[in-house]
Amino acid sequence: MDEIATIGFHIISIAKEKPEGVNNDDLAESLTSVPPEKRVQALNKLLQDGVLEILKKGTTLIYRLKDPGKKTNAPKDIDNEERVIYNIVEEGGNKGIWIRDIRVKSNLVMTQLTKVLKQLENKKLIKAVKSVNASKKKVYMLYNLEPDRSITGGAWYQDQDFEAEFVDVLNQQCLRFLRMKRDSARSSGEGPLAVQKLSECSVSDVHRFISDLGISKISLDEDDLETILKTVVYDGKAERIAQIDGSFLYRAVEAPIAAPGLVQMPCGICPVIKNCSDCGEITPKLCTYISEWLD
């Protein structure tokens, strides 16, 4: 066993006695006969081999034995500060981590943290992603990860902008498919219960129909289409039927009869109707609600 490996073995023994981690002073005190440069070489070797992990507590570097079940993909050719930031970003997974949280966990001043983040970005080890929940803020994640839907907004967002027109087209096409199923069932000549059953369709049926249409430039999965089907249900144009296995079927329903004009008048929900009269400040003649309704 060479000298560096022997020193590394002693460092591991010291770290085992202090599961919370050891700092350079602890190691210097325990390894009095080891020159500082040899100790640093042994520490770097253990860090590169993934035996130790490096943390920061205040301004002090802490070395701790790594949990065997916790693997990291940190490259071996990055310095200690970059390794600390990389490990923090890695913990954020595909949901990322805010720069403020990285700063709290790393205890680095903002200027130094910004510099380290930029270095890791230039090395294509991490990336900054804008979140639809806060367009002016960025989260950081490992470079090879696909951001979670909660960050990108999924299929309904493009460059942090909600694709209302795209959603509306999908809503119309999903409703068209449900109505086609209903019309086909009605023309089958079966009884009422059979027609109702034949009108029902699963999310996978709708997904297949939309995929065959080729109206989407991006890949949509069944969860995306179920989200659209729910909007059709909320519009009162379809119903959602629960199944024993926990899944749902969808069926087009007849739209309710439009309310007569008298019912649609704003008077029924007017917040100041009790003060309305033929004279005074609040009158039907001066009412902005009625004017907007008539327009």
Side-chain angles (χ1 to χ4, degrees):
M1 185 180 293
D2 64 24
E3 185 182 4
I4 299 301
T6 303
I7 297 170
F9 179 77
H10 289 306
I11 291 174
I12 291 172
S13 299
I14 297 167
K16 283 181 178 178
E17 294 174 3
K18 291 187 175 183
E20 71 280 4
V22 295
N23 57 35
N24 280 312
D25 291 338
D26 296 328
L27 294 174
E29 186 179 337
S30 300
L31 302 170
T32 53
S33 62
V34 177
E37 62 273 13
K38 297 287 185 182
R39 188 175 71 243
V40 171
Q41 288 179 37
L43 280 170
N44 286 336
K45 183 71 168 60
L46 292 172
L47 287 168
Q48 290 173 2
D49 292 343
V51 178
L52 293 180
E53 62 182 348
I54 187 170
L55 309 167
K56 205 163 186 185
K57 189 174 183 180
T59 58
T60 306
L61 290 176
I62 302 294
Y63 302 95
R64 187 172 65 188
L65 283 176
K66 186 172 289 185
D67 183 352
K70 182 183 176 183
K71 295 183 179 180
T72 181
N73 297 313
K76 295 181 179 180
D77 60 346
I78 59 177
D79 62 35
N80 287 339
E81 281 189 344
E82 289 176 338
R83 190 177 301 277
V84 169
I85 301 304
Y86 183 95
N87 289 336
I88 292 172
V89 172
E90 186 178 31
E91 290 174 3
N94 66 345
K95 290 189 177 180
I97 183 169
W98 302 110
I99 190 170
R100 181 187 61 185
D101 296 330
I102 299 174
R103 182 164 163 256
V104 169
K105 289 187 176 184
S106 66
N107 285 306
L108 289 176
V109 295
M110 184 56 75
T111 51
Q112 184 62 19
L113 175 57
T114 304
K115 178 183 175 183
V116 174
L117 286 170
K118 195 66 179 174
Q119 289 170 347
L120 291 172
E121 283 188 86
N122 290 338
K123 293 177 180 178
K124 295 193 182 303
L125 295 176
I126 66 171
K127 61 184 175 183
V129 180
K130 287 185 179 180
S131 171
V132 295
N133 297 320
S135 59
K136 293 183 179 179
K137 293 183 179 180
K138 295 183 291 188
V139 295
Y140 289 88
M141 64 184 66
L142 295 188
Y143 188 81
N144 61 339
L145 291 181
E146 187 69 28
D148 186 80
R149 284 176 179 232
S150 61
I151 301 299
T152 64
W156 320 130
Y157 283 81
Q158 179 69 31
D159 298 328
Q160 284 72 53
D161 292 326
F162 182 65
E163 295 284 341
E165 186 176 344
F166 178 49
V167 171
D168 189 46
V169 168
L170 287 174
N171 178 290
Q172 293 173 17
Q173 293 303 321
C174 286
L175 177 59
R176 182 166 78 91
F177 178 72
L178 294 180
R179 286 176 172 170
M180 284 166 53
K181 285 281 288 184
R182 181 193 62 190
D183 295 343
S184 176
R186 286 177 175 175
S187 63
S188 66
E190 300 288 343
L193 292 178
V195 168
Q196 181 174 330
K197 200 69 180 173
L198 290 170
S199 299
E200 298 168 358
C201 60
S202 65
V203 178
S204 59
D205 294 333
V206 179
H207 181 261
R208 195 179 306 112
F209 172 75
I210 296 296
S211 298
D212 291 344
L213 282 179
I215 59 175
S216 175
K217 295 180 181 178
I218 60 174
S219 178
L220 299 173
D221 57 28
E222 291 189 5
D223 288 340
D224 294 326
L225 268 301
E226 184 149 34
T227 300
I228 297 296
L229 284 167
K230 286 178 182 177
T231 67
V232 180
V233 173
Y234 299 150
D235 289 340
K237 298 173 182 177
E239 64 178 345
R240 194 169 184 238
I241 307 155
Q243 303 299 294
I244 297 176
D245 62 358
S247 63
F248 291 90
L249 296 178
Y250 293 84
R251 185 171 71 89
V253 295
E254 298 291 348
I257 299 173
L262 186 63
V263 176
Q264 295 177 2
M265 284 183 66
C267 302
I269 55 171
C270 179
V272 292
I273 192 170
K274 64 180 181 180
N275 300 322
C276 187
S277 64
D278 294 335
C279 58
E281 294 182 0
I282 303 175
T283 68
K285 188 175 181 179
L286 301 174
C287 181
T288 56
Y289 299 123
I290 289 182
S291 297
E292 290 176 3
W293 177 64
L294 289 173
D295 291 340

